[in-house]
Amino acid sequence: MKLRYFIIIGIIYIVCICGFLFYTQHVDYTITSIAGKAVHISMPIALWIAIILVVLFIIALIFMTSNKIAQTLKRLRYKREYAKLLAQINTQSLGGHTKTLSFSTDEFKSLSLILARFSFKPLLNSQASGNAHIDALFDSLHSLQTEGSLKDTKLNLDVHNVFYEKYLIASLKNGSKKPLDVLNMSYPDVDLSKAYLQAWEEMIKDSKKESKDITKTLSQSTPKMDYEIAKMLFTKSIEGSLELSHDSMLKILSLYNFNAKEFFNLVDSLLSSLTPGNINFYLSIFEEALKKNENMTIGYIYLLLEIGKSSEAKDFISHYPKGHFPIFEAYLELKDKRYNLKSFFEPFSTHNVNIPNEPPVITATIVPTLELPLKDV
């Protein structure tokens, strides 16, 4: 029973009982001794009963009030501990590791320790819980998953969370995170390659020339560079949407150690954008990078042949033992029959090429200086 109802009912009860006795019992009752001492107290019976009922009512009221206060304090303590447990669930659902929490009740403490042994994965299509904070979190994660947009810019996802990379990408797009800050992140056990690519794209989209941030990023000891990033930078450079210096292009090639197939695919993807006006610039870059990465040899010869520099390709191959590049040698033998060079590499297989243990001694450096046609006539 609520306390206010008890007070109202108690007062009504006392008034009714005392009123009934007052009108039905007109006899006084006298007390002449209390605890062995002589006294003389005379009052109507109704008043004596009223005093007894009031005393009992006050005792009951004190008991119920103290119980109400105890229940309120207990409920507040449960709410605080429930909030702690909810915060633990929230942290674990974001991929974080919660600290050991202190609880005053054994039940909450035990439940917290049990939950700490599990890893939570949000079920985005599940029914709403009714908890505003948790449901808002699920809405944000659902937007990340389906739209790639970030509703809550203060979302504190752990780096190991399955949504973290999408969170970084969305943060870069809406400007809440800076590209340079993302590229400075280092988590060796987490694949954030798509986020790094997005950071590069955000960094260069508003600047055609090489910005200070690009130069600063490339000058780092371990900048984030992979095949997709290198390909994107080379593509934008060749297309003319980004002006990178000769040294920066060499730095990109040195930061990512291309294997033979990757460099071949890079060259093949760039062929359509090469022109007589820029081909010599990129040939000089590739030639210099070849000194540090022998894996680029196949792609380089392929590029020479595709742009019509067959004599340069023959001269380059001549510095290696005969039979070292059987694919290119076969193509050059059959070139007059107009075979497509790309067909010799489908599927691409580096097993067809022997990579020597010692690099060959090249007595002459190929430095293309003439504006040759892109295709032999």
Side-chain angles (χ1 to χ4, degrees):
M1 178 184 292
K2 292 185 177 181
L3 191 60
R4 63 175 179 272
Y5 294 155
F6 173 78
I7 294 173
I8 294 171
I9 293 173
I11 293 173
I12 293 173
Y13 177 78
I14 292 173
V15 169
C16 290
I17 293 298
C18 293
F20 175 76
L21 291 175
F22 181 80
Y23 286 106
T24 58
Q25 302 292 330
H26 299 284
V27 180
D28 291 348
Y29 181 78
T30 304
I31 295 179
T32 58
S33 176
I34 297 177
K37 294 183 179 181
V39 296
H40 183 82
I41 302 175
S42 181
M43 290 186 298
I45 293 177
L47 190 56
W48 284 109
I49 296 298
I51 292 173
I52 295 172
L53 290 175
V54 168
V55 171
L56 292 175
F57 175 74
I58 292 174
I59 293 173
L61 186 62
I62 292 173
F63 173 78
M64 291 192 67
T65 302
S66 61
N67 185 64
K68 180 71 173 179
I69 293 173
Q71 289 294 329
T72 301
L73 292 175
K74 184 178 180 179
R75 185 165 57 252
L76 290 174
R77 184 172 67 251
Y78 265 69
K79 283 184 177 180
R80 287 195 299 269
E81 301 206 335
Y82 172 75
K84 286 183 182 179
L85 197 64
L86 198 63
Q88 177 181 339
I89 294 173
N90 182 73
T91 301
Q92 290 185 228
S93 68
L94 295 176
H97 300 282
T98 184
K99 298 179 180 179
T100 302
L101 303 174
S102 59
F103 293 92
S104 58
T105 55
D106 292 337
E107 294 82 3
F108 276 105
K109 182 178 181 180
S110 176
L111 184 57
S112 174
L113 293 173
I114 291 171
L115 293 177
R117 303 196 69 180
F118 288 87
S119 176
F120 297 157
K121 180 181 179 181
L123 301 177
L124 301 183
N125 295 323
S126 57
Q127 184 177 355
S129 66
N131 182 280
H133 181 73
I134 294 295
D135 291 340
L137 169 63
F138 270 65
D139 288 341
S140 296
L141 294 178
H142 189 269
S143 296
L144 276 178
Q145 177 71 16
T146 57
E147 304 170 11
S149 60
L150 185 60
K151 285 187 175 180
D152 183 7
T153 56
K154 296 182 180 180
L155 190 63
N156 189 23
L157 283 174
D158 184 82
V159 67
H160 295 92
N161 188 279
V162 66
F163 298 102
Y164 187 73
E165 187 174 48
K166 292 185 177 181
Y167 158 73
L168 279 183
I169 293 173
S171 299
L172 286 164
K173 288 181 178 179
N174 66 18
S176 57
K177 283 192 179 295
K178 296 181 179 179
L180 200 58
D181 293 337
V182 173
L183 291 171
N184 285 332
M185 297 170 60
S186 180
Y187 298 100
D189 59 334
V190 181
D191 180 16
L192 299 177
S193 57
K194 293 180 180 178
Y196 296 145
L197 176 62
Q198 184 65 40
W200 274 102
E201 290 179 346
E202 293 295 323
M203 189 162 52
I204 67 178
K205 72 177 183 180
D206 298 326
S207 177
K208 182 178 179 181
K209 294 187 177 181
E210 184 174 332
S211 64
K212 293 181 179 178
D213 285 347
I214 295 176
T215 305
K216 186 176 180 179
T217 303
L218 291 175
S219 64
Q220 293 175 352
S221 57
T222 56
K224 306 304 181 299
M225 183 66 61
D226 60 15
Y227 174 75
E228 292 301 326
I229 294 174
K231 179 181 177 181
M232 181 268 294
L233 293 174
F234 266 88
T235 300
K236 289 187 176 296
S237 175
I238 290 177
E239 291 175 349
S241 58
L242 177 65
E243 296 178 6
L244 291 175
S245 66
H246 184 276
D247 291 340
S248 294
M249 303 292 279
L250 282 176
K251 183 70 173 176
I252 294 169
L253 292 174
S254 65
L255 288 173
Y256 183 67
N257 190 29
F258 287 88
N259 62 40
K261 184 175 181 179
E262 287 172 336
F263 188 71
F264 176 89
N265 290 335
L266 175 66
V267 169
D268 189 52
S269 66
L270 301 178
L271 277 172
S272 59
S273 301
L274 291 173
T275 65
N278 64 21
I279 184 59
N280 286 336
F281 173 73
Y282 291 100
L283 278 177
S284 64
I285 292 173
F286 294 153
E287 286 168 9
E288 191 167 344
L290 271 171
K291 299 174 184 178
K292 296 181 179 180
N293 188 357
E294 186 73 13
N295 291 328
M296 296 171 56
T297 304
I298 300 172
Y300 176 71
I301 299 173
Y302 174 75
L303 175 61
L304 289 176
L305 291 172
E306 281 293 284
I307 63 175
K309 295 181 180 287
S310 300
S311 59
E312 286 86 346
K314 288 180 181 179
D315 187 36
F316 187 87
I317 294 173
S318 67
H319 293 92
Y320 291 82
K322 187 172 178 61
H324 187 71
F325 296 107
I327 292 179
F328 295 121
E329 292 172 8
Y331 171 75
L332 290 170
E333 290 292 333
L334 300 171
K335 186 173 179 296
D336 293 338
K337 296 186 178 180
R338 301 187 181 276
Y339 280 94
N340 183 359
L341 177 58
K342 184 69 180 294
S343 64
F344 285 71
F345 290 89
E346 295 177 351
F348 182 92
S349 175
T350 56
H351 296 295
N352 295 329
V353 180
N354 300 316
I355 303 298
N357 294 328
E358 296 293 333
V361 178
I362 301 178
T363 57
T365 303
I366 300 174
V367 182
T369 56
L370 299 176
E371 296 296 341
L372 298 178
L374 293 185
K375 294 290 181 180
D376 282 344
V377 179

